[in-house]
Amino acid sequence: MAKWTPRHEAPEPLEGPIVATITGGTVLWFALFLVQVPFYGWFDDRDLTWWVWTCLAGGGLGLIGIWYVRGRDAAIRRARAAEDAGPPAREPDPSSPAS
């Protein structure tokens, strides 16, 4: 069997409002959790409590995701700013004699 090789390069990843998307999803998970809590007895009677706890876990993981994408976004901005500024200026070596 021959190894599969792509015929074209992969496209650039799409960049968009990633922080807003993750934040919106996290809010949605927590909202679903809060909507289900009053009906916990109904879920418990049917052995479906995992639905409630899945929403809470989704909200918790979303908080980690928000922290991660905000750091990623800041790192991308720092890298672009450093790239735009050019190479750093070299400082003279204090141990070398002045010429």
Side-chain angles (χ1 to χ4, degrees):
M1 183 155 69
K3 180 180 174 185
W4 181 82
T5 57
R7 296 182 182 183
H8 53 80
E9 289 188 32
E12 291 292 320
L14 296 175
E15 292 293 333
I18 298 170
V19 176
T21 302
I22 300 299
T23 302
T26 302
V27 168
L28 183 62
W29 278 114
F30 277 124
L32 288 171
F33 172 72
L34 293 175
V35 166
Q36 290 178 354
V37 167
F39 303 102
Y40 188 83
W42 185 88
F43 287 106
D44 193 31
D45 292 343
R46 290 160 180 78
D47 288 330
L48 296 175
T49 55
W50 65 271
W51 285 25
V52 178
W53 302 119
T54 299
C55 293
L56 184 61
L61 290 172
L63 291 175
I64 295 170
I66 291 169
W67 171 77
Y68 178 81
V69 297
R70 286 186 69 192
R72 176 185 177 271
D73 198 35
I76 289 171
R77 275 194 238 120
R78 281 193 308 269
R80 284 187 185 149
E83 188 177 281
D84 291 343
R90 291 185 51 186
E91 295 182 18
D93 187 8
S95 63
S96 67
S99 24

